[in-house]
């Protein structure tokens, strides 16, 4: 549908817990389309709705040539772990080694409300965990050890993009069930 601006670190929507999707309608399908177009244009391996200013539990992914999306994800993680470089479209130019589960089984829904399961290891597992973190208000630098997090915050302060204008808050058109997030 349309490429949208990506919210950057410091925008409050990135720290809010996203609301579950309850209505699987054309508006949701448009959101999935916007997320996909924006992610592919960036380019990125994944993009969560809060990164477009919409506080809903939706994300898209593009890993190893496969593009998909997941709504209201519920993850089961492997006990095996991996550590590798991770970045984020909301923190342009920053990459840090981050520990994640090696494998994941993610259950949720597609944009039509049909149940789906996505299973993956390595990069796909990392991506699904990273995007689900966004839905919980967690940014990957939160998972770094103290020294790395300190270095990341310094890099953010020194970045060209961190001194930008204050973000415009976009109100989700979907019900927030009385929560003003």
């Amino acid at each position: 549908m349309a490429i949208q601006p990506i919210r950057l670190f410091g925008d409050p929507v990135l720290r809010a817990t996203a609301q579950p999707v309850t209505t699987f309608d054309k508006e949701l399908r448009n959101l999935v389309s916007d997320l996909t177009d924006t992610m592919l244009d960036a380019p990125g391996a994944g993009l969560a709705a809060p990164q477009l200013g919409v506080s809903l539990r939706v994300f898209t992914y593009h890993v190893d040539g496969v593009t998909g999306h997941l709504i209201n994800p519920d993850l089961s993680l492997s006990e095996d772990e991996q550590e590798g470089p991770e970045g984020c479209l909301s923190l342009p130019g920053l990459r840090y080694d981050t520990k994640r589960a090696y494998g994941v089984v993610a259950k949720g829904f597609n944009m039509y409300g049909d149940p789906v399961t996505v299973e993956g290891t390595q990069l796909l597992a990392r991506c699904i965990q990273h995007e689900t973190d966004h839905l919980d208000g967690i940014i990957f630098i939160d998972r770094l050890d103290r020294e790395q997090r300190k270095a990341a915050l310094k890099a953010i302060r020194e970045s060209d993009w961190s001194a930008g204008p204050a973000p415009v808050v976009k109100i989700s058109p979907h019900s927030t069930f009385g929560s003003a997030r």
Side-chain angles (χ1 to χ4, degrees):
M1 291 298 272
I3 295 167
Q4 302 294 325
I6 296 171
R7 301 298 176 95
L8 299 177
F9 180 82
D11 188 317
V13 73
L14 296 175
R15 290 301 190 175
T17 302
Q19 299 297 310
V21 171
T22 58
T23 305
F24 293 81
D25 58 6
K26 183 179 179 185
E27 201 168 321
L28 177 66
R29 291 187 292 280
N30 288 341
L31 173 61
V32 170
S33 180
D34 287 353
L35 281 165
T36 302
D37 291 349
T38 304
M39 171 189 64
L40 294 173
D41 181 69
L47 189 65
Q51 292 178 276
L52 296 188
V54 179
S55 192
L56 288 173
R57 299 188 71 76
V58 180
F59 70 80
T60 56
Y61 60 89
H62 180 76
V63 176
D64 297 329
V66 176
T67 302
H69 67 277
L70 196 58
I71 299 168
N72 298 338
D74 180 35
L75 307 186
S76 295
L77 305 176
S78 71
E79 290 184 22
D80 296 337
E81 293 182 332
Q82 61 174 317
E83 187 162 345
E86 195 163 320
C88 181
L89 294 174
S90 292
L91 295 136
L94 272 66
R95 290 180 69 81
Y96 292 92
D97 282 349
T98 308
K99 191 179 285 189
R100 297 279 185 183
Y102 178 79
V104 67
V105 176
K107 294 182 179 187
F109 300 90
N110 67 17
M111 66 179 126
Y112 302 102
D114 301 322
V116 295
T117 300
V118 180
E119 295 183 52
T121 59
Q122 298 180 353
L123 183 57
L124 182 57
R126 177 176 298 282
C127 177
I128 289 170
Q129 292 169 78
H130 178 106
E131 300 310 327
T132 301
D133 273 356
H134 272 301
L135 305 181
D136 294 329
I138 297 168
I139 298 173
F140 89 98
I141 61 171
D142 298 338
R143 296 198 175 274
L144 302 178
D145 65 37
R146 184 180 169 133
E147 271 187 46
Q148 281 187 307
R149 190 169 37 258
K150 187 175 176 181
L153 292 172
K154 182 176 189 249
I156 291 166
R157 284 191 303 276
E158 294 173 352
S159 70
D160 294 337
W161 54 264
S162 73
V168 176
V169 176
K170 181 176 168 184
I171 305 299
S172 172
H174 296 274
S175 174
T176 60
F177 307 102
S179 174
R181 290 189 175 184

